[in-house]
Amino acid sequence: QVQLVESGGGLVQAGRSLRLSCAASGSIFSMYAMGWYRQAPGKERELVATIASGGSTEYADSVKGRFTISRDNAKSTLYLQMNSLEPEDTAVYYCNARRTTGWITKDYWGQGTQVTVSS
């Protein structure tokens, strides 16, 4: 089992940048596919970006070219560099760890960190 703690959220003006971090503990970080999700008020949680254990990445269309997901396996930490932030990026951002063994997939979540972008 893995424990996840996000940090780095806050209030920022549109056009500025933030970097989120997710510190993992309790298991072998490199074995997990990792991702960032977000949930805005009144909306469902949505995928922002994922990074596989091997390093391949995927992004939601809405953040392509602005956000970069990365991982440091030696530090057991996941990052999300967010540039050119827009008010529409305002949400609670959640870190996710996923491990698939055979037919069984387990998901683990952090508690979330609030990102607020003012116009």
Side-chain angles (χ1 to χ4, degrees):
Q1 188 168 354
V2 61
Q3 291 80 44
L4 305 170
V5 179
E6 300 100 333
S7 60
L11 173 63
V12 65
Q13 289 184 327
R16 296 295 188 108
S17 299
L18 277 177
R19 189 176 82 155
L20 305 183
S21 298
C22 172
S25 62
S27 191
I28 302 174
F29 179 74
S30 60
M31 296 173 63
Y32 291 82
M34 302 295 298
W36 289 98
Y37 291 71
R38 66 186 182 187
Q39 187 167 18
K43 295 187 177 182
E44 293 187 353
R45 191 173 297 189
E46 63 175 3
L47 172 70
V48 175
T50 62
I51 184 166
S53 56
S56 60
T57 59
E58 294 187 1
Y59 296 91
D61 288 343
S62 59
V63 306
K64 281 181 181 176
R66 300 189 298 122
F67 291 10
T68 302
I69 190 171
S70 61
R71 63 191 298 164
D72 185 334
N73 289 337
K75 295 182 178 180
S76 296
T77 303
L78 176 73
Y79 302 101
L80 184 68
Q81 178 67 42
M82 304 185 294
N83 298 330
S84 302
L85 282 161
E86 303 169 353
E88 293 73 23
D89 296 317
T90 295
V92 177
Y93 284 70
Y94 297 92
C95 176
N96 168 265
R98 172 169 292 179
R99 185 176 178 195
T100 298
T101 306
W103 290 1
I104 299 173
T105 295
K106 290 188 177 180
D107 280 298
Y108 302 91
W109 297 92
Q111 82 288 351
T113 185
Q114 176 71 47
V115 172
T116 303
V117 184
S118 63
S119 57

